[in-house]
Amino acid sequence: MVGFQVRRYRAGDAEAVKEVFTASMSEHVPSGFLHMLRQPLAQVLLAGVACALLTASRSPVLPALALALLLVGGRWLAGYIFSRYIEVCLKKDLGHVQEAYMEREDCCFWVAESEDRVVATVACLPARNQAGCLELKRMAVRRSHRGLGIAKALCRTVADFARQKGYRTVLLYTSVVQKEAQSLYESLGYSRIGEVVIPETVARLLNFTLIEYRYELLGRVDGKRKFAGTDG
């Protein structure tokens, strides 16, 4: 089995961190596209265009070409949404990890390293407007190193950090199309709280939401809930 270690971010990790995050987020473009196609608005648009052109032309060729172009456009749009998100993250905190996480109070950034190569990342910082909550962010694992328990180890690292700093809760947001991430967090005891609508117009039209998860640290020891009146 391939081994790995979790350690804190170093200045020399900058480019590897960007690479891991970009590759991980880009993988969700196909699932984002499928999510778009399942939305009523997209289905009505495709059906309406096909019916209108078929009625007007009395030939299946024009509707088929139009649908093909719409699908290509939809695939491009899905790619644009994720590319735009990656771009914002790289310009924001991932372009300045040292300043954004390592030099700020109650913030930290970790990488998982395997065979002297950065293969995963995670970060945390105090949640905005939610006292007592630490937010887990920037979870990303190279596809070649999934299934090794790296993501679970990173989640536990954040939980341990939050506990040491006196936080009661770890919260995070993941997109509606990231099914593997949702399963991971639920397997670790995170509770699904609700969904948040992304404010951008395109995201709202396509019902592209973020799912909020929370992990309550109060009364937990080593990932298991400790009940009052017990010793372990």
Side-chain angles (χ1 to χ4, degrees):
M1 179 180 291
V2 178
F4 67 91
Q5 65 170 342
V6 176
R7 62 169 175 80
R8 295 197 175 198
Y9 173 87
R10 301 170 187 159
D13 299 326
E15 293 306 313
V17 164
K18 294 177 184 178
E19 178 190 345
V20 170
F21 180 78
T22 299
S24 179
M25 290 298 103
S26 297
E27 291 176 5
H28 301 303
V29 173
S31 57
F33 176 51
L34 291 176
H35 175 76
M36 289 170 54
L37 293 180
R38 296 190 188 103
Q39 302 312 304
L41 179 62
Q43 294 177 2
V44 168
L45 175 62
L46 292 172
V49 168
C51 290
L53 291 177
L54 184 60
T55 301
S57 65
R58 299 181 181 276
S59 170
V61 177
L62 188 58
L65 289 174
L67 288 178
L69 288 174
L70 286 173
L71 291 174
V72 170
R75 179 63 170 73
W76 175 87
L77 182 59
Y80 171 79
I81 291 174
F82 278 96
S83 295
R84 178 59 181 162
Y85 173 70
I86 292 169
E87 180 183 351
V88 169
C89 293
L90 294 181
K91 287 183 178 180
K92 194 178 178 183
D93 56 307
L94 291 181
H96 313 278
V97 172
Q98 188 67 32
E99 296 85 350
Y101 295 102
M102 308 308 292
E103 298 177 2
R104 294 175 58 194
E105 185 177 0
D106 291 357
C107 300
C108 198
F109 197 104
W110 297 267
V111 301
E113 191 175 55
S114 178
E115 298 178 339
D116 298 321
R117 181 189 185 199
V118 172
V119 297
T121 67
V122 76
C124 67
L125 77 177
R128 291 183 179 180
N129 304 318
Q130 299 195 55
C133 295
L134 197 72
E135 183 176 354
L136 184 154
K137 298 174 68 68
R138 307 309 180 227
M139 171 68 77
V141 182
R142 290 187 189 272
R143 178 170 289 278
S144 59
H145 287 73
R146 292 176 190 168
L148 302 176
I150 295 176
K152 290 183 178 180
L154 292 173
C155 284
R156 293 188 180 111
T157 297
V158 172
D160 289 343
F161 180 84
R163 191 178 289 110
Q164 292 167 9
K165 294 294 183 177
Y167 285 86
R168 300 189 301 270
T169 304
V170 176
L171 67 81
L172 61 87
Y173 299 92
T174 189
S175 76
V176 69
V177 303
Q178 293 176 258
K179 302 300 183 183
E180 290 184 5
Q182 294 167 31
S183 297
L184 166 69
Y185 299 133
E186 290 169 8
S187 73
L188 290 173
Y190 280 79
S191 299
R192 180 169 175 161
I193 303 302
E195 294 189 35
V196 178
V197 178
I198 300 176
E200 282 76 5
T201 302
V202 173
R204 293 177 64 183
L205 288 174
L206 297 174
N207 195 31
F208 199 89
T209 59
L210 296 177
I211 301 174
E212 179 181 349
Y213 281 95
R214 288 181 177 240
Y215 182 81
E216 301 298 335
L217 295 169
L218 186 63
R220 287 182 182 268
V221 177
D222 295 330
K224 296 181 180 180
R225 184 170 294 281
K226 178 179 178 181
F227 293 95
T230 66
D231 296 324

